[in-house]
Structure formats: C-alpha cells, structure tokens
Amino acid sequence: MPTARWAPGLAGLSGGPEVLAALRRYYETWQRRLADDGLDPATATLVRLAVDGWWMARLLNLAPPADDLHREIRARLTAMIEEGA
C-alpha cells in the first residue's frame, strides 16, 4: 500500500479532534465496505487489523516482513478473505 495513502492517518494522531473524527469515519467506512463485500464480520475485522499492523511495520520500519515472508503473508490474508467470503 502506498505510504501517501496513509499519511492522513498519521496526521490524525496529532491533528486534533476534527482530524481524528475524519480518520474514524474513514475507518468505519472501510470496515463497512469489507463487511458489505460478503465477508464474515470477524474475518473482515481480523484482516483489517492485520493489515493495519502490517502497514505500520512497513511505514515505520518496525521489523517489517521482507520479500518471501511478505508474499507469504499476503497470500495467507488473501486465502482468509476467500475462505471468509
């Protein structure tokens, strides 16, 4: 995921209540889109939370998975989505 897409999220952490409210609306919309896509709500939430952590690790260079492991994680998340649909 492109880092620029997530810059507003980081700004929300320090941008005051209005920015945080907009960020919350964005995440609520994202969650609804996942659930409305036919995924089991628990699977949809688990995938979203996993991607949140994955993104944060890559963004901040917090021991992000590299190369083969990165691809394997993506494949497993994709499989979870397909199984949960």
Side-chain angles (χ1 to χ4, degrees):
M1 288 180 210
T3 301
R5 183 174 176 210
W6 296 96
L10 293 178
L13 297 174
S14 63
E18 295 85 14
V19 175
L20 186 55
L23 181 61
R24 286 179 176 145
R25 285 190 303 273
Y26 173 80
Y27 269 79
E28 288 167 2
T29 299
W30 186 16
Q31 181 69 36
R32 273 194 309 275
R33 285 180 56 204
L34 286 168
D36 290 347
D37 200 27
L39 287 176
D40 166 75
T43 301
T45 303
L46 180 61
V47 168
R48 183 183 61 81
L49 293 173
V51 171
D52 286 349
W54 189 8
W55 164 77
M56 185 69 72
R58 292 180 66 204
L59 179 69
L60 300 176
N61 197 29
L62 301 171
D67 303 327
D68 289 340
L69 183 57
H70 176 86
R71 285 186 286 279
E72 184 177 339
I73 290 168
R74 184 179 181 132
R76 286 190 188 196
L77 281 172
T78 299
M80 286 180 68
I81 291 168
E82 291 170 354
E83 290 170 11

